[in-house]
Amino acid sequence: MKRPLGITVHRQIMDSQSLHNEATGELSGLLTELIVAAKTISAEVNMAGLADALGVSGKTNIQGEEVQKLDEFSNNTIKRRMAQSGYICVMTSEEEDGIIPVQEGCEGKYTLAFDPLDGSSNIDVNVSIGTIFSIHRRISSSGQGDIDDLLQPGNELVAAGYMIYGSSTMLVYSTGEGVHGFTLDPSVGEFFLSHESIRVPEESKYFSVNEGNYNYWKPEMRSYVDYLKTIDEASGRPYSARYIGSLVADFHRNLIVGGIFLYPCDSKNPEKPYGKLRLLYEASPMAFLAEQAGGLALTDDGTRILDIKPTTLHERVPLVIGSRKEVERAEQFLNG
Ligand code: AHM
Ligand code: MG
């Protein structure tokens, strides 16, 4: 049943909690705390040009990338709020090398992996960026969590989602019962249900990939993109290209209107043979959302993203994600 607009995200979270007799309210509490962090980040992002929040912080992260001031602000906002929330036992962030402990005495039963501000190259130029999160149940029994609590495959996710700071701020998340989207009404500071039970269209005529890497790709990948651009009007080609350069924004677009996003293996940097995107807090949560919305997420060798068990916190993985039939078609080119 379609519900009227005006449903707050808190109402939705409580409704979904009530479907589970065993629920203790901790996941609801965790999501609520994350939403507060997201509103804080959203407010800062919206004021960025006025509040001396743009530019680099002068630091370099574990990935060897320059840390922007807003990256640092977002990381600290989530880290500090969640460390004392009482709902998680350990965290990991794109911006930090090792695991992030929680405050002593505040250990809870979940874990949190997050990319505090995805789309770093777009921060200073007013293009959509976002926060990505994934939540697992801890494996260890009590006390502070450890790295094994975090190194779990996507098929064990309890919840995942993102906030996109775009023409409006949206929260899109799933607890395994479909994907729902909420839009922030800044005048009341509340997220309202705007996109109920999102389904990604099965087919599409859009593709999103950094074609600047074309000559670093494998021949199969080049053939696939050549095919998408070949004129064959009866088959609806050429496809249209849409590449924003923020995973959150590219994924969100494809989720709503259909499309395929690829960040495949390339030979650009021998130290990064598996492309650029990180499994734990980029590919895996997006794969969870894609599948929950009826889409598909595979690597460029055809492995299901959700079945990959991470071996390190920051490992990278090639990603082919989006409309089901488009991903299947891409796989035919990539793997025969
Ligand atoms: P970031 O997490 O440091 O922002 O890097 C990840 C971003 C993704 O949002 C995006 O899909 C990708 O990098 C774009 O990379 P490229 O500039 O190589 O196309
Ligand atoms: Mg990122």
Side-chain angles (χ1 to χ4, degrees), residues 35-55 68-78 80 116-117 123-124 126 129 131 165-166 169 184 186:
I35 289 166
V36 176
K39 286 184 202 169
T40 310
I41 297 168
S42 177
E44 187 76 3
V45 166
N46 287 337
M47 290 295 288
L50 301 169
D52 190 29
L54 297 179
Q68 306 286 316
K69 286 186 200 166
L70 273 174
D71 276 328
E72 194 172 31
F73 175 87
S74 308
N75 190 49
N76 288 337
T77 299
I78 297 174
R80 290 177 188 150
L117 205 55
I123 291 177
D124 281 1
N126 224 330
I129 46 184
T131 298
Y165 314 112
T169 291
L184 181 66

Side-chain angles (χ1 to χ4, degrees), residues 94 115 117-120 132 247 277-278 281-282:
E94 179 186 316
D115 180 350
L117 205 55
D118 179 64
S120 301
I132 312 174
L247 174 64
L277 300 179
R278 276 58 55 113
Y281 43 78
E282 291 178 326

Side-chain angles (χ1 to χ4, degrees), residues 61 63 65 71 94-95 115 117-122 132 209-210 213 243-250 261 263 268 276-278 281-282 316:
N61 70 11
Q63 333 275 346
E65 300 154 350
D71 276 328
E94 179 186 316
E95 297 302 335
D115 180 350
L117 205 55
D118 179 64
S120 301
S121 67
N122 285 324
I132 312 174
V209 69
N210 184 346
N213 293 332
Y243 190 69
I244 300 162
S246 298
L247 174 64
V248 171
D250 281 307
F261 172 95
Y263 210 114
K268 190 174 185 177
K276 184 173 179 192
L277 300 179
R278 276 58 55 113
Y281 43 78
E282 291 178 326
R316 296 173 198 266

